[in-house]
Amino acid sequence: MRVARRDLLAGVGAAALVPAIGDAAVAAAPSPDWPQGPLAAIDGLPPRLPVTDPGRSSLDSGWLFHEGDIIVAPPATHNDTYLSTKAGNAAGAAAVDHDDSDWQAVTLPHDWASHQPFVESANPSQGYRPRGIGWYRRTLRLDAADRGKRIALQFDGIATNATIWVNGTVVAHSWSGYSSVLIDLTPFARFGAQDNVIAIRVDATAMEGWWYEGAGLYRHAWLSRRAGVSIAEDGVHCDPRKDDAGWSVPVAVTLTNIERATVGATCEALLLDPAGRMVARATVDIAVDPLIEVTASLTLPASNPQLWSVEQPRLYTVITRVLRDGVAVDERRTAIGFRTIRFDAARGFFLNDQPVKLKGVCIHQDHAGVGVAVPDALIHWRLVQLKALGCNAIRCSHHAPAAELLDYADRLGFLVMDENRVFNPSPDYLAQLEWMVRRDRNHPSVILWSVFNEEPMQGTEAGVEMVRRMAAAVHRLDASRPVTAAMNGSFYDPANVSTVVDVMGFNYYQRDYDRFHRLNPAKPITSSEDTSAFETRGAFRTDPAAHVITSYDTAAADWGATHRASWAAIVQRPFVAGGFVWTGFDYHGEPTPHAWPTISSFFGILDLCGFPKTAAGIRRAQWIDTHAVVAIAPHWTWPGREGEAVPVHVSSNAETIELRLNGRSLGRQAADRVMGNDWSVPYAPGRIEAVAYRDGRVVARTAHETAGPPVALRLTPARTVMAADGVDAQPVTVDAIDARGRHVPTANLPVRFTMTSATIIGLGNGDPNSHESEKGDARSLFNGLAQVILQSGTARGRITLTATAPGMKPATLRLDAIAAPARTVEPAVAAKQAIEGWRRSPATPNRPDPATAPAAGDNNLWAFVRAGTPTPAEPTDGWRIYRARITPRRRIAAAGGTIRFAAVAGRAELWVDGVKLADKPTASTGPIAARIPAGTGARTVLLLVEAAAGVESGLVGRVGVEA
Ligand code: GAL
C-alpha cells in the first residue's frame, strides 16, 4: 500500500499517515498488517523543522573524538605552575596546539556508549555498557568581518559532565546531561586566518539517571554570529492569553548589547497565521546599555485565532526582530499555539474548555542502534508511532527532552509533561530548571512542569521547602502552566509536597486515587506514571530461565499493573486527568525484572525498535476514539501445537467482536475496550480473524495467517524517499516471508546488509537479551523482525540496501535521495598547528645574541605575546627576540615540515634550535618561512626582529608549522 505524498509536518493528524493495526481503512487489504507484517512505506518528504534562528549554523560536523582520558602531568616548576593558571594556557588535550591528528572524525549527534559491547561488570542501569571519559575537539574559523559580532556556542546535550575550553581557556562546566550549554565565545574569539579551537572533556562516568544515558555530544551543536545588539539565546517569550476581551500574545524579548555605548533599537514582533499571512504587528523602541540585558515588551492582538488542539495542532508563528536604523539585525521565529489549559479537581484536564483525558506515555530518549544520538527524523518517527497508538500525551521522563522533540510534539498534537532532572533548589540546579522553562515555555504542547520524580524527601519538611522554591522559580518564568511532582507515596504525611504543587502527580499507588481525592477534593490529580507491565515482543510464553516474558498482558512489576488494569483505574475516574504509561518504548538499561544477560527493559508498548507488542493493540483499543480498531494476539504460526488450546486475546474499541478460525465463527462477545476479550482456541493452522462490529455493521477486521517456512527476506522502509542532506534518517524493517509472501513471525535468522549511497547508523531487533552489536552490517531477526537505521548521504539519486541470510532469497531496497533545502552548516576546518605562547624580549639597541632567553621565573621582563598582535612603535630603532617552544605534530615529526610566519613587520632572522634557517631582509611587512627537519620532541623557535623607530613591528600575522 502506498500513502499519498504529504508533508509530515503540515499539521496533518499523524495517525492518518500510519496504516496501523486493524484500521478500518486498511482492513480490506489482502494481507493484514501489524503484527503480521511491517508497516507500509510512506512516500513522503522527510520531516523538516523550519529555521527558527537565522543567526545560527549547525556545528554538528567537523568534530574529532578521542575515547578515553588524556592526562597531563601537573606542572613541575614554579614558572610552569605560574603559566598553567593563566587564561589561554590550558594544557594537554585542552591546549590549542594539542596534536589531535590521529583522533577519529565524528559527526553529531554522537553517543560513544552505543558503540560499546555489553559487559557484565558495567553498570546495569546504564545498560551494561562502559561509558568512561572522552574528548572532542573542533576547529573554527571566524571571518575578519565577524569582528564586533556576538559569537555564541550552544551544545544541546552532553552526557554527562563536561568541561569546555575555547582557545585554551575554560569557558564552561556542564553538570547536566540534559541542559543546553550556552557559551559567549566573543571575548575569546580570533578572527581571520587564526584558528579557534574548541576542546571538550566529557565525563560519562557521572550518572544522573538509572537508565541508559549514553556518552558524548549526543544532541546538536550550534554556532551563532549576531549583531552587536541582538536577541539573547532563548530570549523570546510568547505567552498567548485569553481574557474577556479575547486573545492576545504578550511577547517579551530579551536584548543584549556587546558594543561600548548605549544603542537605541526597535524591537518588532509579527504574528503569522498558520497559512503564513501576517495578522498582527507591534513595535517598541528601546535603549540597550552595554553588557546589560533588557527586556522589550510588546503585545500582539489576535482576533478569533484558530485554536491549537490534539487533533488539529494549528501553529502560528511570531517573528521577533531587532532593527537598527530601520534594518533588521537579528531575528527569531517562534511557533506558538492558541489554546487554553486547565486542570479541574473534579473533572480532570481541559483543553480549550473541552475535557481531554491524558492518554500518555513516559519515554526515555534512546532508540535501538543509535543509543541517545537520535537523529531528528527518528525522533519524529518515534512520535508518529506513539500517535498511531492514540496516545496524546508524553512525559519527558525524567529530564528535559531534545528541543526537536517539543517542536514535533507541537506539530503532531501531543500534550507534554516537561520534567526537571535533579531535585535541588540550590543555585546550580535551579539554573537547570530555569533554563528548561525558559527554553520550553513557548511550546503549546507543554502543559505541565514536573519538578521531580519519586524523591525520598517528598514527605519531609525539607522536601516541601525545596518544591516551594522550585515551583516559585517556574512560576516567575511562566505563569500559565501548573507545576506538578511525580510522587510515589508520602501522600498523607504531615509535611508532603502534594500541598505545594498545583497538580498532584501519582506514580503508581492507583489504589490511593480515591482516598487522596476524598481528603483533598480541591487538588487536581493526574497519574504521572503507571503500568510498568512486562512484555517480550512476539513472545507468548514466559520462560524465566531465558528471560522471556509473555505478551498476553499478564505480567507487571509489583508496584505496577497490567495495561488493562492500570487504564481501568484511570478511565473510570473523571477526577484523574489521565495516565502516563511506563513506558512508550523499551529502553536500554534498567533491566527489569531480569538482569544480565538482559540489557534493556521490557516495559514498552513498543520495543526498542518501535515494533508494537500486544500492548500496542490494547492501548489502541483503549485510546482511539476516531475510528474502529481491532487487534489479535498471538500470531498464528504454531507448528507442533495442533489441537492444543491457545489463548487468544482480542482488543477492540468496537461494540461486538467475532473470532473466526478458517472461516468458522468461534462466537461473538461484547467488546470490552479496556480489558479486551479472550478466547481459548484449539490450534489449527490457517487463518484466525477478528471481525469488529458496531450497530451490526463490520467496522474493522484483522487476521493472522499461519506462515510456512521462511524463503526470502523483505525490507520495508518508513519512507521511500530521503533527503540528500546527510542528516535525514529512517528505520527500515527487516523481516522474512514464506513462499506466499507472508510475514514469518517465528523467524530468527542472521541477516547481513550492504549499502550504497547512505550509511547504516544502527541496528536492532527488540530482543532485550541480545548482545549483538548495534553497529555494523549484521543483525538477527528476533521473533520475525529486525531494524536497520539509515542515514542519507549528500548525493542525490538512488540509495540501495541489500539484505542476505543463508538459504534465503536476498532483498534489495531502492530509495530515492532527493534534493533538500540547504542547511546553514559551519564548515569543517582542518586544523593547522599554530605556534602559540610567544615571549618577547625587551628592545635592545644592538642585535642580541640569539641564545638569550628569559631568566627562570621571569614573568615580567619578557612579555607574553600572541601571534597577530603587533609590537607598538618605539622612538628609536631597536631589536627584539620572539621566542616560543613547539612540539611538532606526528606527521611533521616523522617527515619534517615548514614553519611559516604569515606576516612579520621589520627585518628578521628565523632560528630553530640554535640554527639560523632564514632571513627576511626587508623591513616592510611580509612572510618568512623555513623547512624544519624530521625529529621528535620540542623545538625552540626564535625570531630576531629589527624594528625602525616609529613603526609597529613583530608578529603581525599567524605563525604555524605545516607539513
Ligand atoms: C518508577 C520510576 C521509573 C522506572 C520505573 C520502573 O518508579 O519512576 O523511572 O524506574 O519505576 O518501573
Side-chain angles (χ1 to χ4, degrees), residues 670-729:
D672 182 337
R673 72 181 293 192
V674 176
M675 302 308 285
N677 293 75
D678 294 296
W679 277 263
S680 176
V681 181
Y683 178 66
R687 178 181 171 86
I688 189 142
E689 185 177 25
V691 184
Y693 300 88
R694 193 181 296 280
D695 298 328
R697 273 188 327 108
V698 175
V699 286
R701 63 206 310 164
T702 191
H704 296 314
E705 286 184 25
T706 306
V711 299
L713 295 174
R714 177 166 62 178
L715 293 170
T716 309
R719 280 185 272 117
T720 54
V721 292
M722 295 186 78
D725 58 3
V727 172
D728 189 17

Side-chain angles (χ1 to χ4, degrees), residues 871-930:
T871 300
E874 302 271 359
T876 54
D877 294 357
W879 290 82
R880 288 179 190 269
I881 299 176
Y882 296 79
R883 212 169 183 279
R885 298 271 289 166
I886 181 193
T887 304
R889 295 183 156 212
R890 270 172 282 269
R891 243 176 95 198
I892 296 161
T898 301
I899 291 185
R900 193 178 303 283
F901 290 70
V904 170
R907 272 195 292 277
E909 299 170 20
L910 169 55
W911 293 64
V912 176
D913 290 338
V915 180
K916 185 165 130 187
L917 298 181
D919 267 312
K920 176 174 172 280
T922 53
S924 57
T925 300
I928 180 170

Side-chain angles (χ1 to χ4, degrees), residues 210-211 362 364 395 397-398 419 453-454 486 488 507-508 529-534 557 559-560 582-583 587 590 592 603:
W210 50 95
W211 55 87
C362 300
H364 282 322
R395 173 175 178 224
S397 45
H398 304 294
E419 189 158 282
N453 174 68
E454 298 185 350
N488 59 338
N507 274 17
Y508 311 96
E529 190 174 317
D530 51 76
T531 312
S532 275
F534 305 126
W559 54 92
W582 192 266
T583 43
Y587 50 94
E590 195 172 34
T592 315
F603 296 118

Side-chain angles (χ1 to χ4, degrees), residues 392-472:
N392 66 11
I394 291 169
R395 173 175 178 224
C396 302
S397 45
H398 304 294
H399 56 79
E404 293 74 20
L405 184 135
L406 294 181
D407 292 335
Y408 292 132
D410 288 346
R411 286 162 175 82
L412 293 169
F414 283 102
L415 304 162
V416 174
M417 181 193 295
D418 204 353
E419 189 158 282
N420 172 63
R421 176 71 287 279
V422 179
F423 182 40
N424 190 332
S426 64
D428 284 356
Y429 295 99
L430 204 63
Q432 294 175 8
L433 171 65
E434 289 171 338
W435 161 81
M436 179 180 90
V437 177
R438 209 175 281 118
R439 186 194 68 169
D440 295 345
R441 62 189 169 173
N442 294 317
H443 289 280
S445 55
V446 175
I447 59 160
L448 263 179
W449 305 110
S450 164
V451 293
F452 74 61
N453 174 68
E454 298 185 350
E455 287 290 338
M457 285 166 75
Q458 64 202 357
T460 66
E461 205 181 317
V464 169
E465 290 307 316
M466 288 159 73
V467 167
R468 283 185 61 223
R469 281 155 183 78
M470 295 173 81

Side-chain angles (χ1 to χ4, degrees), residues 235-261:
V236 176
H237 182 201
C238 304
D239 192 15
R241 289 298 167 121
K242 189 183 178 197
D243 58 22
D244 294 342
W247 282 97
S248 63
V249 190
V251 180
V253 188
T254 307
L255 302 174
T256 72
N257 173 10
I258 60 159
E259 297 183 10
R260 296 189 177 222

Side-chain angles (χ1 to χ4, degrees), residues 487-558:
M487 293 180 72
N488 59 338
S490 313
F491 318 117
Y492 315 113
D493 291 0
N496 79 76
V497 307
S498 72
T499 56
V500 288
V501 291
D502 306 310
V503 174
M504 166 63 195
F506 270 88
N507 274 17
Y508 311 96
Y509 286 90
Q510 294 193 288
R511 269 186 232 104
D512 279 272
Y513 291 163
D514 293 331
R515 181 173 169 210
F516 185 89
H517 180 54
R518 203 169 53 246
L519 295 173
N520 302 278
K523 177 72 74 180
I525 293 176
T526 185
S527 153
S528 36
E529 190 174 317
D530 51 76
T531 312
S532 275
F534 305 126
E535 290 183 6
T536 301
R537 196 255 310 144
F540 294 92
R541 265 185 184 164
T542 293
D543 180 347
H547 293 194
V548 170
I549 307 177
T550 179
S551 286
Y552 280 113
D553 191 36
T554 48
D558 295 344

Side-chain angles (χ1 to χ4, degrees), residues 536-539 635 710 713 734-736 743-751 765-767 770 772 779-786 805-806 808:
T536 301
R537 196 255 310 144
H635 62 75
L713 295 174
V734 189
D735 73 338
H743 169 71
V744 183
T746 50
N748 289 299
L749 304 159
V751 186
N765 63 14
D767 178 1
S770 171
E772 288 178 339
R779 191 73 188 184
S780 300
L781 299 181
F782 171 63
N783 291 339
L785 295 169
M808 296 291 118

